[in-house]
Amino acid sequence: MKIEFIESRLHEIEQRLLAEMGRAEIEARELGGPEYQNRSDTSETKEAVFDQTTAAWKQYTLVREAIARLHNGTYGICADCGRPIEPRRLESVPWTAYCLHHQEQHDREPVL
Ligand SMILES: [Zn+2]
């Protein structure tokens, strides 16, 4: 895969996440508005919006880091073992920083 192609793909994902976060922000603001004040489901909905924003923000950070790695020449190399990340994995998860083996290890780590 060519770097330019990966970069344009990552920028596409970046834009999509920015739009998603923007929408969630508007939604959150509306939930704080007067029309929602007396609704019992507000806190639950707020939590859902927050979770969605957090997930989008986390992914956005990963995408930004992947773009930085493209520029400093470390893209596609596992941050743990320094071996090349499986091409098929990069194709489906272009923002990943780990090979399959190490991603599995990180997934098993407890989330703080
Ligand atoms: Zn690795």
Side-chain angles (χ1 to χ4, degrees):
M1 258 197 298
K2 288 182 79 169
I3 295 285
E4 293 81 24
F5 175 73
I6 303 165
E7 187 165 5
S8 74
R9 240 184 106 186
L10 284 169
H11 279 300
E12 221 171 88
I13 299 165
E14 187 189 7
Q15 292 309 312
R16 186 168 50 81
L17 289 166
L18 277 174
E20 201 177 306
M21 287 188 288
R23 269 200 309 277
E25 205 192 314
I26 293 165
E27 214 173 314
R29 210 175 299 145
E30 281 172 357
L31 284 171
E35 63 271 40
Y36 282 96
Q37 289 307 317
N38 297 317
R39 281 178 54 169
S40 54
D41 62 343
T42 304
S43 69
E44 224 167 88
T45 317
K46 261 186 190 164
E47 216 166 282
V49 171
F50 180 75
D51 284 351
Q52 194 190 334
T53 316
T54 310
W57 178 252
K58 271 187 195 155
Q59 206 196 343
Y60 177 72
T61 309
L62 292 176
V63 170
R64 298 285 311 172
E65 284 170 1
I67 293 169
R69 287 197 300 278
L70 272 177
H71 289 277
N72 67 27
T74 58
Y75 182 82
I77 294 165
C78 175
D80 278 1
C81 63
R83 291 197 199 108
I85 299 169
E86 298 80 359
R88 282 176 66 184
R89 178 167 158 69
L90 278 179
E91 222 169 288
S92 56
V93 197
W95 54 85
T96 189
Y98 302 107
C99 69
L100 195 57
H101 174 75
H102 284 106
Q103 182 66 60
E104 277 170 2
Q105 266 186 10
H106 285 284
D107 287 347
R108 275 198 295 269
E109 282 167 7
V111 181
L112 297 173

